[in-house]
């Protein structure tokens, strides 16, 4: 069975329709290059993020738990980007969702039934975020492969991205970062440094 929710876009949160965009948006809510390094620093940032991706709004005191989920999912993505064991990452992610009750639903698709998993109604916002983030990361790994998750090599950027190049050699999250890296290396060489 394939998962296909295109006919149910209003009922299905954006994070399910766009798993790669969602998981990257979540783990990259921390970036020292931005004027505001942490987009989830306060309750307003958490509310905006969850409203945009999960169609839900957390309570003001949920911000700490939401950041903790983001930090765990980011750590898992970075571990995969570093080539660490899938077993280690799976165990870490499993502890995030162990207490979350899931609900499966089957809907008619174009050519086959579509199966969807979601946290049960009434799940707390941070647990809901954890459930959808783990499902999205699993979708990305299945679609692209764990080895395609990378961290940008252009310091100070710390963005996580999915290497979409044919050769699997992408080192930077964007052209901006690639340019910054190469200009810095050129200036270093001109100044008499090596490398």
């Amino acid at each position: 069975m394939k998962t296909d929710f295109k006919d149910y876009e209003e009922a299905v949160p954006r994070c399910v329709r766009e798993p790669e965009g969602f998981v990257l948006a979540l783990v990259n809510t921390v970036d020292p290059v931005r004027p505001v390094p942490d987009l989830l620093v306060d309750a307003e940032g958490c509310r905006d993020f969850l409203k945009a991706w999960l169609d839900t709004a957390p309570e003001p005191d949920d911000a700490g738990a939401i950041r903790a989920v983001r930090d765990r999912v980011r750590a898992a993505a970075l571990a995969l980007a570093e080539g660490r064991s899938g077993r280690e990452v799976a165990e870490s992610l499993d502890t995030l969702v162990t207490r979350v009750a899931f609900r499966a639903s089957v809907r008619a698709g174009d050519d086959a039934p579509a199966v969807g998993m979601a946290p049960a109604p009434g799940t707390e916002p941070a647990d809901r975020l954890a459930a959808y983030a783990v499902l999205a990361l699993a979708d990305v790994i299945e679609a692209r492969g764990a080895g395609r998750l990378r961290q940008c090599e252009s310091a100070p950027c710390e963005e996580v991205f999915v290497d979409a190049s044919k050769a699997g050699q992408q080192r930077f999250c964007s052209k901006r970062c690639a340019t910054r890296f190469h200009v810095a290396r050129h200036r270093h060489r001109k100044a008499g440094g090596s490398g």
Side-chain angles (χ1 to χ4, degrees), residues 53-72:
W53 287 98
L54 274 66
D55 301 326
T56 190
E59 296 297 320
D61 58 344
D62 290 337
I66 290 166
R67 281 191 303 276
V69 168
R70 182 266 322 269
D71 293 344
R72 298 268 305 275

Side-chain angles (χ1 to χ4, degrees), residues 69 72-73 89-102 119 123 126-136:
V69 168
R72 298 268 305 275
V73 174
V89 173
E91 289 171 359
S92 169
L93 291 174
D94 187 53
T95 62
L96 257 179
V97 294
T98 315
R99 68 174 189 253
V100 179
F102 282 88
T123 303
D127 290 339
R128 214 171 131 76
L129 175 65
Y132 279 127
V134 169
L135 289 170

Side-chain angles (χ1 to χ4, degrees), residues 92-172:
S92 169
L93 291 174
D94 187 53
T95 62
L96 257 179
V97 294
T98 315
R99 68 174 189 253
V100 179
F102 282 88
R103 176 178 55 113
S105 62
V106 181
R107 298 182 175 111
D110 290 339
D111 51 329
V115 177
M117 294 290 293
T123 303
E124 294 294 321
D127 290 339
R128 214 171 131 76
L129 175 65
Y132 279 127
V134 169
L135 289 170
L137 185 58
D139 280 355
V140 170
I141 292 167
E142 181 181 344
R144 303 285 196 146
R148 290 295 182 132
L149 281 170
R150 306 276 165 77
Q151 184 173 24
C152 186
E153 293 182 23
S154 181
C157 182
E158 296 178 0
E159 293 271 319
V160 174
F161 65 95
V162 176
D163 179 355
S165 69
K166 280 186 179 181
Q169 302 295 318
Q170 187 175 340
R171 298 172 51 202
F172 309 104

